[in-house]
Amino acid sequence: MAYGWNKKVLKVNLTIGNISTKSISEEVLKNYLGGRGINIKALYDTTNKNTDPLGPDSPLIFGTGSLTGTIVPSSGRHNITARSPLTGILGDSNSGGFWGAELKQAGYDQIIITGKAERPVYLKIINEKVEICNAEHLWGKNVWETEKLIKEELEDNDVQIASIGQAGENLVKISGIMNNLSRAAGRTGMGAVMGSKKLKAVVVRGNKGIGVYDLKRFSESVEEMIKNIYSSPYYEARSSYGTTMLVELNNRLGNLPFRNSQGSYYKDAEKISGELLYDKHVTKLKACFSCPVHCSRYYKVKSGPFAGTQGEGPEYETLVSFGSRCDNNNLESILYINNLCNQYGLDTISTGGVISFAMECYEKGLIKKENANDLDLSWGNYQSIIDLVEKISIHEQIAQIGKEIPQKLLQNLGSILAEGVKKATQYIPNSGHYALEIKGLEVAAQGVRGIKAMGLGWAVSSRGADHLRAFPIAESLWSEKDAEEIFGTKDAANRFAYKGKAKLVKWTEEFSAITDCLEMCKIVAMPLKLSMSSFAEITSALTGIKFSEQDLFTIGERIVNLERIYNLKMGLTYKEDRIPDRYRLEPVPEGNSKGETLDLDKMLPEYYQLRGWNEKGIPSRNKLDELGLSKNILE
Ligand code: SF4
């Protein structure tokens, strides 16, 4: 009997229509745990620098965690991994909801999909029965229509569906894979990889259960964890407002991006706040699989021009991406745009990022109305944001970089932005300074000049600029005493200080890698301060394999290092561990981070040293030996 894991991978080749299973060894599971860990292992083993992310050989990998589908709080998540068509390095994205738990219950830890179907298809998995089904009637439909049609077709309302909208079909590089209508594996363009395979959806139904090695010990440790969650001082706010509580909080700290991060303070933050959303439009709270925090929310707009708009969310990142980043204080328009992105299957962070970039280019005279689909891209013009979201989704492939005729190419502004902000600078002369990206991925919604560890976390993140790889919120939330104990200096809890931040980022990167392998939600694990020792206890009781707290940190370190080597193998250099000039050179103009810039040089060398990487960011032979990765040594 398998405990915790199913020890089984489902392999599908869409070119030849082949479906098979293979076992996944206990050694791999012990070393990589699940989810993000087993996915990078599979990606590393099956791709190289010549792998075209949108070609048939490019694997699209869905991974569940060692705890996915169990009663452990917030453990219903999954990771989706491929070489990113947006960045060319690691593509990896994590989603909540119910899909991951269903796949685990169907008997699989991972699905690896290669090839390209001749015509649109969807994959149907009902326990052992796996079929490739015709999806020609679904191609061109949005995510919500697709879910509805598949459920009707299968006469099963409880089937779980991960699908792409038109954005993924049209190979938009900032498209994601959606499940449960509004949960997104949004980052790094995984939707385009799925679209390139002509795969519309992966549909799952499972009822096989998951074996538990020591039920008594497992139940007791889960109960203890639930008790800790309910008694956290942050529980109430998290469970009412979710991540949207951060809008006003970050604004008070002077960390809320305003007008493409020209500023970090928004005078109208109250108008797009989580508290206002809750009071005006939230109808019901919503939980992902096995989650007592239920941080998500259903909303319905009852009056005004957006009356009738109803959906789930939005998260903090979405409110800010289409709110303060675009100087748009119309909350209802953001709810409408949130729905549009969920229906088309777009990453809201990157989409808001490319649109605020376009708005700044318009402000600076680099884009004119007549060259931009006739859109008035003035700050706050939410109708233009709506139009642009639609134009991005209906991506007409751009044939060549328009060196000679950039203004003519700008007629297809939606298509240009669909390629991501880094590529967009090739079509819009002199726009590089306004393109806020790292390693090709659009930055998330933090004002990193006033939170130094977050800035370092963005710069070294293995999937490009992102807040969740490290998620170093200790610098704003933890006490000086805790910071001193864990990171060796109380300065680690001072958001303006540089001291202690390298150690903090290393620690949180490894902690976050583990939550992504167990597939527990970071929103629960990090802010509610769940401990690595509790994860070790639960995982040991579930699987029957003894894991200590240190074992898990070592697994986290192994994953961070393997992702690093993967990226180096794909052509990344240490020069890409950087921060956009805006954060480096332009001091914050107003608010409680006024005058701050971000100097990476004060943290990066120490970070490399703590990681056991040389001055060019390459892991040393000793470090790789220590982590059992020696065969991956890069000279
Ligand atoms: S905390 Fe929120 S996002 Fe995370 S698993 Fe629970 S309901 Fe889902």
Side-chain angles (χ1 to χ4, degrees), residues 446-631:
Q446 290 81 40
V448 291
R449 286 167 283 197
I451 31 176
K452 311 299 184 193
M454 185 64 87
L456 175 62
W458 276 13
V460 296
S461 153
S462 59
R463 64 175 177 181
D466 193 77
H467 57 304
L468 289 171
R469 261 356 208 198
F471 205 38
I473 55 172
E475 72 181 327
S476 319
L477 293 182
W478 284 23
S479 70
E480 290 186 344
K481 186 171 161 285
D482 284 350
E484 182 145 42
E485 212 173 287
I486 297 185
F487 309 117
T489 168
K490 60 185 183 188
D491 279 347
N494 172 0
R495 66 192 178 94
F496 295 123
Y498 287 101
K499 202 171 153 204
K501 296 303 170 68
K503 196 168 178 190
L504 166 60
V505 168
K506 178 178 183 292
W507 190 92
T508 50
E509 278 187 325
E510 283 153 19
F511 188 94
S512 294
I514 289 305
T515 58
D516 286 340
C517 293
L518 302 174
E519 292 296 356
M520 287 188 66
C521 186
K522 282 191 196 102
I523 289 170
V524 176
M526 197 75 88
L528 304 190
K529 284 177 97 172
L530 302 185
S531 67
M532 195 67 114
S533 57
S534 66
F535 301 157
E537 173 63 14
I538 283 177
T539 311
S540 302
L542 175 68
T543 63
I545 297 170
K546 193 171 167 3
F547 291 100
S548 67
E549 180 179 354
Q550 185 50 51
D551 290 337
L552 294 191
F553 272 113
T554 303
I555 294 169
E557 190 178 11
R558 181 176 298 118
I559 289 160
V560 171
N561 275 273
L562 189 58
E563 289 178 346
R564 179 71 177 187
I565 309 166
Y566 178 79
N567 284 341
L568 294 170
K569 196 168 103 169
M570 295 300 120
L572 185 90
T573 73
Y574 70 102
K575 291 181 183 154
E576 291 299 308
D577 295 337
R578 58 172 187 85
I579 201 84
D581 280 352
R582 165 149 287 161
Y583 304 101
R584 208 166 58 81
L585 303 173
E586 295 177 19
V588 174
E590 62 176 329
N592 285 330
S593 293
K594 187 173 174 177
E596 290 293 319
T597 55
L598 183 70
D599 186 352
L600 215 50
D601 292 341
K602 291 185 174 152
M603 300 177 284
L604 193 58
E606 188 192 351
Y607 172 84
Y608 281 174
Q609 195 195 10
L610 288 170
R611 279 245 162 268
W613 298 355
N614 70 14
E615 71 287 353
K616 292 197 168 166
I618 299 174
S620 69
R621 181 177 289 268
N622 283 350
K623 178 52 70 184
L624 296 182
D625 274 346
E626 189 188 309
L627 297 170
L629 295 171
S630 307
K631 74 176 167 70

Side-chain angles (χ1 to χ4, degrees), residues 389-409:
V389 166
E390 286 170 353
K391 289 181 194 314
I392 288 169
S393 305
I394 313 303
H395 178 26
E396 295 159 36
Q397 296 269 304
I398 297 169
Q400 60 179 46
I401 296 168
K403 278 191 187 125
E404 307 87 31
I405 46 167
Q407 289 299 316
K408 188 168 177 221
L409 278 175

Side-chain angles (χ1 to χ4, degrees), residues 74 77 183 286-288 291 293-295 521 523-524:
S74 81
R77 304 184 70 90
R183 306 302 315 183
K286 157 96 194 296
C288 298
C291 184
V293 179
H294 51 69
C295 83
C521 186
I523 289 170
V524 176

Side-chain angles (χ1 to χ4, degrees), residues 133-178:
C133 307
N134 175 35
E136 282 177 273
H137 58 302
L138 302 172
W139 207 249
K141 304 281 184 214
N142 73 35
V143 166
W144 294 10
E145 292 163 340
T146 301
E147 281 225 10
K148 186 171 177 287
L149 286 167
I150 291 177
K151 285 180 174 177
E152 280 170 9
E153 192 169 307
L154 301 182
E155 295 178 0
D156 184 350
N157 217 26
D158 294 324
V159 77
Q160 297 300 323
I161 301 166
S163 68
I164 54 171
Q166 296 93 330
E169 291 177 8
N170 293 328
L171 308 184
V172 172
K173 307 296 188 301
I174 54 174
S175 60
I177 298 174
M178 309 295 301

Side-chain angles (χ1 to χ4, degrees), residues 8 72 82 84 101 122 127 137 306 329 347 367 454 497 533 555:
K8 204 196 265 183
V72 176
S84 167
Y122 72 88
N127 296 319
H137 58 302
F306 295 99
N329 65 14
D347 174 19
I367 299 175
M454 185 64 87
S533 57
I555 294 169

